[in-house]
Amino acid sequence: MQRDKPSAHDVPDGPLWVSVRGAGSPTVVFEAGGGEDSSVWSELEWEVRERFEVRTMVYDRAGLGRSRPSPPPYRVDREADALRLELDRNGITTPVVLVAHSYGGFVATIVAATDPRIAAVVLVDANLAGFFDDAQTQRLLATYRPQFPALEQAAPELAKVMIPVIEAYPATVARLRQLDIPAATPTIDIVAERTWVETPEEIEAMRQAHRDFVAASSHRRAVFADGSGHHVMRDRPEVVLDAIAELVAAVRARP
């Protein structure tokens, strides 16, 4: 299958770098994980666009990939506001299928809870506030803070982005506890067999948080990605493609 050449929409003419390609409804918008840019979706985006005949949007959050950094302080709501702004700027109206990986699950949750354009959500081993109790948040800080000096030396520009994101985790989690993806929004929650946490206790706590999330609405469905690491889109791309296909069909079937 021949991939499209870059289009005029690939020009970074706004606050964030955005690529909008293809035509058709719904629009599938991809949200990357923490410290990653839109390139994590490069192998999947074109296949979604061509196979399902939809418009797609990928973008780089502030300070990542080809997007300029934003001024401090860091707040997760600013990430959600930036995505809504880019949807507006690129003329994207309802319906949108939002596909979010890892930390992008936090951004997707806020946008889905506050923007009526979001018609369906695919979570790809995504962050859920239910996993991050106070003890887990403190464990995360205790794990990553000692790594800051090495990150600043090896990747100073990335460190400028990621250190504020990590330090803001207590406030971010507190914000995410205040809202959720609407219960009526069709959502497929993909959980990787090998996620980013490592201890048996943390793995079980994370899986329980995802079970609780799915059980809270009849419009949510769980998918377990056997044999996959945290980047399900790379290890088991067909799992993510199947989820997107299901929700694209569901959105199109609406009266």
Side-chain angles (χ1 to χ4, degrees), residues 106 127 131-132 134-148 165-167 169-170 173 196-197 202:
F106 282 163
N127 283 12
F131 169 66
F132 291 94
D134 292 343
Q136 179 58 42
T137 303
Q138 290 306 310
R139 281 193 292 271
L140 182 145
L141 292 173
T143 297
Y144 285 106
R145 279 172 172 162
Q147 301 176 32
F148 288 171
V165 169
I166 294 168
E167 290 291 356
Y169 249 84
V173 171
W196 62 273
V197 295
E202 286 179 307

Side-chain angles (χ1 to χ4, degrees), residues 74-76 103 141 162-174:
Y74 177 85
R75 291 189 306 109
V76 70
Y103 185 85
L141 292 173
M162 289 309 299
I163 291 175
V165 169
I166 294 168
E167 290 291 356
Y169 249 84
T172 297
V173 171

Side-chain angles (χ1 to χ4, degrees), residues 60-139:
D60 296 336
R61 288 199 301 274
L64 300 170
R66 289 153 285 191
S67 288
R68 299 188 299 270
S70 61
Y74 177 85
R75 291 189 306 109
V76 70
D77 276 281
R78 291 179 66 181
E79 306 268 36
D81 291 343
L83 175 54
R84 283 191 290 263
L85 175 63
E86 293 304 329
L87 293 176
D88 293 341
R89 192 169 67 87
N90 286 277
I92 295 174
T93 57
T94 191
V96 168
V97 175
L98 187 52
V99 184
H101 176 240
S102 194
Y103 185 85
F106 282 163
V107 180
T109 296
I110 295 174
V111 176
T114 56
D115 194 316
R117 285 174 289 194
I118 309 305
V121 178
V122 178
L123 297 176
V124 183
D125 213 41
N127 283 12
L128 295 176
F131 169 66
F132 291 94
D133 59 17
D134 292 343
Q136 179 58 42
T137 303
Q138 290 306 310
R139 281 193 292 271

Side-chain angles (χ1 to χ4, degrees), residues 34-47:
E36 297 183 320
D37 59 39
S38 58
S39 63
V40 299
W41 298 111
S42 60
E43 291 301 313
L44 207 68
E45 177 273 330
W46 70 271
E47 187 164 0

Side-chain angles (χ1 to χ4, degrees), residues 189-220:
D189 183 35
I190 301 171
V191 175
E193 181 176 356
R194 300 183 307 278
T195 189
W196 62 273
V197 295
E198 297 181 353
T199 69
E201 294 78 14
E202 286 179 307
I203 291 170
E204 176 53 31
M206 177 173 284
R207 291 180 180 175
Q208 186 60 53
H210 282 272
R211 287 192 291 266
D212 292 343
F213 169 78
V214 171
S217 171
S218 61
H219 296 280
R220 298 172 182 171

